[in-house]
């Protein structure tokens, strides 16, 4: 087990290096540091000296991948790629192109993201499971057919419509919640309730269908038939046996998204003006802040891989039949 | 192009699978399912619109003096069909079925006095002398007329079909009947549209006075192109790499697994955003390569599909790898191998046909996701070019309109209706296809 985890952790390294190279190439294949400098300094009225100065401050005045002016080992290390990458692997994300400390920004902005993502996840899972169980309870009736159709209909609506219509009806017409914005502490409640609601409703369609198929698979097993033959009611079988045994895939499914909670939702956050990590990334994309985008991609990939690892491990913990080699 | 490839490829697939018993059975199942047939009919009519919009013609405008202009403009067949919608451009916003503009204006009345009133529209309801009295009656009569035309056209089509394909009606009575009924509904809608659209702006006009219905119809092509092109980009990569990883094992497998783990661990939106940004900067730095707006828009659309394709092959690849691992150990493959069949032939004749159902299911499942993704990406300005007609762009602009007082709601509603219809049809169809093709549901 320990061996396996260590091996998997070692496997994370080449993947992260790959991610890093990919984002680096994506940005610099057509974009030169000069372009970035001009972008940050405000396009037109910049002279070369200011650009050079900016590049020197940020460490972009080195060659991209290979430094011919240096000797030996330094040919590879005295480059933008190397200098900007090493920091990522020890989570020293450096400063953004606009001059702010990225780690400080992230540690400050992850709380609003978490404040929205955590309740969305919890209520989402609860709602999904409840509706999925209801659908199974009313199996092969009009109710199930209607419910399934509703699920597909919910899935077919773009997330944008949920957000825009909720903002309009709840925020503007009924004036129940503020349309956008955020306040720290206890005041945050009224700002996060609408995004959370949208998160739950938006995920309902696909979520219910997924849990339903999980439960159906479980309900087809022999022990369920035995339980029914023993004289237990449908409700008892559903809650005591099916739900309990389906907990394994449910839990592992949740584990994989746990680390991603930090990232927040890109679209929702920028729509509601919540100062979380999602809007941070979107802002960075639109202002072409390479350092932030790269850090966020790196962080996101890292968390995703950790999630996968946790899933595999949680499988062994909850199901003794699974052995990792 | 992409749409044509989609249509030809689809037709080819249908033709080939109709010859093979094991493929015909699930398709028959799809055609005997009412939901499947309805959604397929709707999808096909959307695709037909896309094809019409992709067929471009050189069109010479007729000038006001009756001569034909020398400057040719490229129009699609759909543009020509929708000419009244395309050319009847108002000044600015107007509500659906409105006969007056949306905002008050200073205007000079006949008696020479200036008044602060709602001006009449140039085209919308222009044939009425007193809109307040005549409008409702006119709309109802035109609707009824349109319905009658729709029913008549549908009836003609049904008779022609009946006469030419007698056999069809005997072998698949249920599917054809459902499909014809769906067509009846579509024909009625089209008849109504054809009657009303030249006289009214059915879904209103937007900020620059362009008909919203026209925009929404034109957006169909963008949605389809993204779905089709992305699939074309993704399929060869996913299939070849997936089969190779499962079949050859060893270092090939390791390499391919490494590739898709790396790609799939990058959050998709970020990768797409980075790539589109890169393209924008490239276009800004090399303006001489992209002289026209169309060039830029096409380039961006192509790039978007490329990137979407690159980010979305990993799922299918993983599935195919697992399935190939299973199939390569099966008896018939081992037997073929013992007989000395080459590895390429093994892959082509024994493995590929047996994973095709997975490919099928993934294609139809992914399609609706891609249409939705386009909207979201266009919204954060990393999707298609703002000059391209697309539902994402319509939503994007209507966001500001929602803040107006009183609000402009029809752009958003129009894009919602069209997008919802397409995606819902695609989702329902995907569901039926999956049920029919999934071997697990066949016992």
């Amino acid at each position: 087990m320990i061996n396996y985890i260590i091996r998997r952790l070692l496997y994370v390294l080449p993947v992260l290096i790959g991610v890093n190279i990919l984002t680096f190439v994506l940005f610099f294949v057509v974009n030169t540091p000069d372009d970035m400098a001009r972008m940050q300094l405000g396009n037109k009225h910049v002279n070369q000296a200011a650009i050079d100065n900016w590049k020197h401050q940020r460490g972009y005045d080195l060659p991209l991948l290979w430094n011919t002016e240096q000797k030996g080992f330094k040919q590879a290390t005295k480059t933008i790629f190397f200098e900007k990458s090493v920091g990522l692997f020890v989570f020293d994300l450096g400063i953004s192109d606009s001059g702010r400390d990225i780690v400080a920004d992230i540690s400050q902005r992850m709380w609003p993201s978490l404040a929205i993502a955590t309740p969305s996840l919890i209520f989402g899972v609860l709602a999904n499971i409840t509706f999925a169980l209801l659908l199974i309870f009313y199996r092969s009736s009009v109710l199930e057919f209607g419910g399934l159709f509703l699920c597909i209909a919910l899935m077919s609506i773009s997330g944008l419509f949920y957000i825009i219509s909720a903002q309009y009806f709840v925020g503007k017409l009924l004036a129940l919640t503020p349309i956008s914005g955020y306040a720290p502490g206890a005041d945050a409640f009224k700002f996060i309730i609408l995004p959370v609601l949208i998160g739950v409703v938006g995920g309902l369609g696909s979520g219910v269908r997924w849990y339903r198929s999980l439960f159906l698979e479980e309900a087809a097993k022999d022990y369920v038939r035995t339980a029914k033959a023993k004289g237990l009611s449908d409700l008892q079988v559903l809650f005591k046996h099916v739900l309990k045994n389906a907990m394994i895939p449910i839990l592992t499914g949740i584990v994989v998204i746990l680390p991603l909670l930090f990232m927040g939702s890109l679209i929702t956050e920028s729509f509601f003006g919540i100062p979380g990590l999602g809007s941070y990334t979107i802002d960075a994309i639109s202002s072409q802040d390479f350092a932030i985008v790269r850090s966020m991609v790196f962080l996101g990939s890292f968390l995703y891989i950790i999630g996968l690892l946790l899933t595999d491990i949680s499988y062994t913990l909850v199901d003794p039949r699974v052995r990792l080699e | 192009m992409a749409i044509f490839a989609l249509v030809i490829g689809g037709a080819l697939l249908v033709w080939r699978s109709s010859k093979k018993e094991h493929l015909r059975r699930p398709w028959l199942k799809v055609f005997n399912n009412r939901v499947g047939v309805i959604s397929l009919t709707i999808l096909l009519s959307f695709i037909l619109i896309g094809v019409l919009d992709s067929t471009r013609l050189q069109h010479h405008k007729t000038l006001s003096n009756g001569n034909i202009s020398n400057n040719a403009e490229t129009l699609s067949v759909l543009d020509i069909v929708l000419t009244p919608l395309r050319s009847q451009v108002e000044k600015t916003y107007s509500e659906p079925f409105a006969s007056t503009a949306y905002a008050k204006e200073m205007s000079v009345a006949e008696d020479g006095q200036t008044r602060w009133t709602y001006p009449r529209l140039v085209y919308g309801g222009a044939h009425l002398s007193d809109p307040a009295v005549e409008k409702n009656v006119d709309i109802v009569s035109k609707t009824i007329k349109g319905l009658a035309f729709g029913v008549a056209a549908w009836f003609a089509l049904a008779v022609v079909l009946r006469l030419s394909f007698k056999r069809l009606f005997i072998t698949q009575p249920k599917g054809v009947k459902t499909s014809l009924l769906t067509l009846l509904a579509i024909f009625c809608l089209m008849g109504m549209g054809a009657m009303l659209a030249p006289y009214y702006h059915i879904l209103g006009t937007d900020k620059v006075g362009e008909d919203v219905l026209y925009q929404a119809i034109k957006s169909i092509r963008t949605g389809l192109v993204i779905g089709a092109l992305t699939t074309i980009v993704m399929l060869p990569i996913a299939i070849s790499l997936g089969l190779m990883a499962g079949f050859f094992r060893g270092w090939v497998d390791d390499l391919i697994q490494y590739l898709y783990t790396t790609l799939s661990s990058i959050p998709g939106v970020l990768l797409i955003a980075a790539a589109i940004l890169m393209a924008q900067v490239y276009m800004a730095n090399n303006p001489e390569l992209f002289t026209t707006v169309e060039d830029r828009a096409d380039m961006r659309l192509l790039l978007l599909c490329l990137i979407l394709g690159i980010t979305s092959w990993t799922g299918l690849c993983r599935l195919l790898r697992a399935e190939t691992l299973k199939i390569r150990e099966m008896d018939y493959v081992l037997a073929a191998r013992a007989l000395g069949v080459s590895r390429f032939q093994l892959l082509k004749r024994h493995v590929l046909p047996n994973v095709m159902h997975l490919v099928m299911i993934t294609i139809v499942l992914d399609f609706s996701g891609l249409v939705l993704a386009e909207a979201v990406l266009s919204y954060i300005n990393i999707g298609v070019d703002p000059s391209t007609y697309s539902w994402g762009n319509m939503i994007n602009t209507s966001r500001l309109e929602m803040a107006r007082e009183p609000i402009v709601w029809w752009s958003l509603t129009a894009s919602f209706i069209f997008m919802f219809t397409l995606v819902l049809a695609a989702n329902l169809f995907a569901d039926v296809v999956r049920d029919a093709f999934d071997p697990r549901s066949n016992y």
Side-chain angles (χ1 to χ4, degrees):
Chain A
M1 182 77 183
I2 305 273
N3 248 333
Y4 172 81
I5 294 176
I6 292 174
R7 269 228 332 266
R8 280 295 299 267
L9 278 177
L10 284 180
Y11 187 67
V12 168
L13 218 61
V15 172
L16 284 179
I17 293 175
V19 169
N20 198 23
I21 293 176
L22 201 76
T23 44
F24 187 82
V25 169
L26 260 181
F27 263 87
F28 282 106
V29 75
V30 289
N31 234 344
T32 61
D34 277 27
D35 294 332
M36 284 165 52
R38 238 171 256 134
M39 176 85 198
Q40 291 296 332
L41 294 172
N43 248 328
K44 298 278 180 271
H45 312 284
V46 201
N47 54 4
Q48 193 57 40
I51 292 177
D52 287 341
N53 186 26
W54 185 89
K55 275 162 62 185
H56 184 72
Q57 275 178 0
R58 303 282 183 279
Y60 285 122
D61 53 351
L62 297 166
L64 284 179
L65 284 171
W66 197 254
N67 196 339
T68 46
E69 289 166 16
Q70 301 283 335
K71 287 209 177 61
F73 219 47
K74 280 195 167 172
Q75 281 192 327
T77 56
K78 267 285 178 198
T79 58
I80 296 179
F81 177 67
F82 190 83
E83 297 221 320
K84 295 274 163 188
S85 301
V86 170
L88 291 180
F89 285 93
V90 289
F91 294 103
D92 170 20
L93 304 178
I95 54 167
S96 73
D97 291 345
S98 55
R100 293 172 58 90
D101 185 10
I102 297 181
V103 175
D105 271 354
I106 289 180
S107 56
Q108 188 192 352
R109 277 171 168 264
M110 71 189 224
W111 300 113
S113 282
L114 279 178
I116 289 177
T118 324
S120 299
L121 176 75
I122 294 170
F123 291 121
V125 168
L126 286 181
N128 288 346
I129 291 179
T130 316
F131 282 111
L133 283 176
L134 270 179
L135 279 188
I136 293 195
F137 188 69
Y138 291 106
R139 228 168 127 186
S140 52
S141 72
V142 188
L143 225 72
E144 194 205 16
F145 183 77
L148 279 179
F149 184 82
L150 191 73
C151 282
I152 297 182
L154 282 176
M155 278 166 68
S156 308
I157 299 173
S158 167
L160 296 174
F161 288 115
Y162 286 117
I163 299 176
I164 294 178
S165 53
Q167 271 187 334
Y168 181 72
F169 288 111
V170 181
K172 199 172 168 192
L173 272 191
L174 303 174
L176 290 177
T177 58
I179 292 174
S180 66
Y182 188 75
D187 295 336
F189 179 73
K190 63 180 182 200
F191 288 102
I192 62 174
I193 187 160
L194 200 55
V196 168
L197 198 71
I198 292 168
V200 172
V201 174
L204 211 55
S206 50
V208 169
R209 276 162 56 89
W210 190 70
Y211 284 114
R212 176 179 165 270
S213 63
L214 261 183
F215 293 142
L216 276 184
E217 205 163 291
E218 206 59 41
K221 288 188 177 153
D222 286 341
Y223 73 88
V224 176
R225 208 180 323 144
T226 316
K228 273 188 189 156
K230 223 167 59 176
L232 291 180
S233 72
D234 275 359
L235 214 61
Q236 278 173 312
V237 174
L238 217 52
F239 277 91
K240 284 204 176 137
H241 295 271
V242 174
L243 183 59
K244 206 158 122 198
N245 283 292
M247 275 325 259
I248 296 167
I250 292 175
L251 279 179
T252 48
I254 294 172
V255 166
V256 75
I257 34 179
L258 272 183
L260 289 179
L261 282 186
F262 282 95
M263 293 295 284
S265 160
L266 293 169
I267 309 297
T268 316
E269 281 185 14
S270 74
F271 245 109
F272 284 98
I274 288 156
L277 291 179
S279 54
Y280 187 54
T281 318
I282 293 261
D283 292 347
I285 287 173
S286 48
S287 66
Q288 301 214 353
D289 197 319
F290 171 70
I292 295 179
V293 174
R294 208 148 153 253
S295 310
M296 292 308 287
V297 171
F298 186 84
L299 209 64
S301 311
F302 178 76
L303 293 173
Y304 177 77
I305 299 169
I306 294 297
L308 286 183
L309 185 62
L310 285 179
T311 320
D312 286 351
I313 295 170
S314 63
Y315 258 125
T316 47
L317 292 183
V318 290
D319 191 345
R321 283 170 304 177
V322 180
R323 282 213 186 79
L324 301 170
E325 288 155 25
Chain B
M1 265 302 287
I3 297 256
F4 286 123
L6 176 84
V7 171
I8 295 169
L12 216 68
L13 208 75
V14 171
W15 182 70
R16 279 194 57 177
S17 56
S18 69
K19 303 220 154 176
K20 290 182 182 147
E21 175 57 32
H22 71 283
L23 285 175
R24 197 163 67 198
R25 205 163 1 108
W27 274 122
L28 270 181
K29 222 165 140 187
V30 173
F31 290 129
N32 279 325
N33 185 310
R34 196 174 295 146
V35 178
V37 173
I38 294 176
S39 51
L40 181 65
T41 314
I42 296 173
L43 270 184
L44 284 178
S45 19
F46 269 91
I47 290 174
L48 181 73
I49 294 176
V51 169
L52 286 181
D53 202 8
S54 303
T55 320
R56 305 268 172 96
L57 297 172
Q58 294 280 319
H59 178 76
H60 293 270
K61 222 184 194 167
T62 319
L63 294 177
S64 50
N65 56 10
N67 291 337
I68 287 173
S69 143
N70 291 325
N71 297 349
E73 50 180 339
T74 315
L75 286 179
S76 70
V77 175
L78 185 76
D79 283 330
I80 294 166
V81 175
L82 296 179
T83 296
L85 287 183
R86 183 171 55 90
S87 54
Q88 296 185 355
V89 175
E90 306 287 349
K91 208 152 128 204
T92 177
Y93 293 116
S94 71
E95 266 188 75
F97 287 112
S99 56
T100 54
Y102 178 64
K104 281 188 179 176
E105 241 177 50
M106 280 305 228
S107 62
V108 186
E110 279 164 18
D111 52 6
Q113 282 184 320
T114 51
R115 285 205 192 88
W116 183 246
T117 53
Y118 293 105
R120 284 290 294 271
L121 292 178
V122 186
Y123 297 99
H127 61 294
L128 306 172
S129 50
D130 185 8
V133 185
E134 298 166 28
K135 202 170 93 178
N136 288 341
V137 181
D138 189 52
I139 290 175
V140 170
S141 76
K142 285 208 160 60
T143 308
I144 293 170
K145 224 158 125 192
L147 280 177
F149 267 113
V151 173
W154 173 77
F155 201 72
L157 181 83
V159 169
V160 170
L161 275 182
R162 173 127 221 173
L163 290 176
S164 43
F165 295 106
K166 258 198 177 137
R167 241 189 74 238
L168 212 70
F169 281 77
I170 302 159
T171 49
Q172 306 170 354
K174 204 172 157 193
V176 173
K177 209 166 142 194
T178 324
S179 168
L180 275 176
L181 284 178
T182 319
L183 273 181
L184 174 64
I186 296 174
F187 268 64
C188 285
L189 272 179
M190 283 195 342
M192 266 155 46
M195 268 293 124
L196 289 167
Y199 302 101
Y200 297 98
H201 298 289
I202 299 181
L203 292 171
T205 54
D206 75 342
K207 192 175 180 182
V208 290
E210 204 172 27
D211 198 286
V212 171
L213 179 64
Y214 176 69
Q215 290 179 337
I217 293 177
K218 289 287 278 183
S219 303
I220 292 173
R221 178 171 176 266
T222 313
L224 290 178
V225 164
I226 287 182
L229 255 188
T230 307
T231 312
I232 293 171
V233 170
M234 158 203 125
L235 270 191
I237 310 177
I239 293 179
S240 54
L241 290 186
L243 291 189
M244 271 160 66
F247 196 74
F248 294 128
R249 318 261 287 261
W251 66 269
V252 180
D253 190 17
D254 286 339
L255 186 73
I256 293 170
Q257 274 197 65
Y258 170 70
L259 254 180
Y260 70 59
T261 322
T262 307
L263 262 180
S264 64
S265 62
I266 300 179
V269 183
L270 290 181
L271 194 64
I272 295 165
I276 298 288
L277 268 185
M278 178 196 93
Q280 267 172 344
V281 174
Y282 182 72
M283 284 194 270
N285 289 343
N286 301 286
E288 69 280 358
L289 290 178
F290 306 96
T291 42
T292 61
V293 180
E294 281 86 26
D295 271 356
R296 283 163 173 269
D298 280 352
M299 169 80 189
R300 236 175 111 160
L301 189 63
L302 197 73
L303 198 92
L304 183 68
C305 295
L306 213 71
I307 297 294
L308 277 173
I310 288 171
T311 50
S312 60
W313 62 270
T314 53
L316 180 60
C317 185
R318 185 175 296 168
L319 268 179
L320 289 179
R321 174 181 169 270
E323 194 68 15
T324 312
L325 276 177
K326 216 165 70 192
I327 289 174
R328 77 190 289 272
E329 299 302 331
M330 290 207 167
D331 289 342
Y332 65 90
V333 178
L334 291 178
R337 187 182 280 176
L339 284 172
V341 178
S342 76
R343 289 203 283 195
F344 179 72
Q345 285 291 326
L346 265 181
L347 272 178
K348 200 181 117 197
R349 321 243 334 225
H350 298 291
V351 181
L352 185 61
N354 287 306
V355 296
M356 270 330 252
H357 66 277
L358 284 177
V359 176
M360 227 7 262
I361 294 170
T362 314
I363 291 177
V364 274
L365 272 181
D366 280 1
F367 178 78
S368 52
L370 288 169
V371 177
L372 291 179
E374 184 274 324
V376 171
L377 292 175
S378 296
Y379 167 72
I380 43 177
N381 268 326
I382 53 173
V384 296
D385 195 80
S387 70
T388 313
Y389 289 107
S390 93
W391 293 312
N393 284 335
M394 283 175 76
I395 300 170
N396 195 3
T397 46
S398 59
R399 216 192 141 201
L400 291 174
E401 293 166 358
M402 295 293 281
R404 282 177 67 102
E405 202 60 55
I407 66 155
V408 176
W409 48 270
W410 44 90
S411 252
L412 189 72
T413 316
S415 56
F416 173 78
I417 294 171
F418 275 77
M419 205 166 136
F420 181 65
T421 315
L422 176 63
V423 176
L424 184 66
N427 270 340
L428 288 172
F429 185 63
D431 222 39
V432 177
V433 167
R434 186 173 55 184
D435 280 351
F437 277 86
D438 198 343
R440 273 191 305 176
S441 65
N442 272 351
Y443 48 80

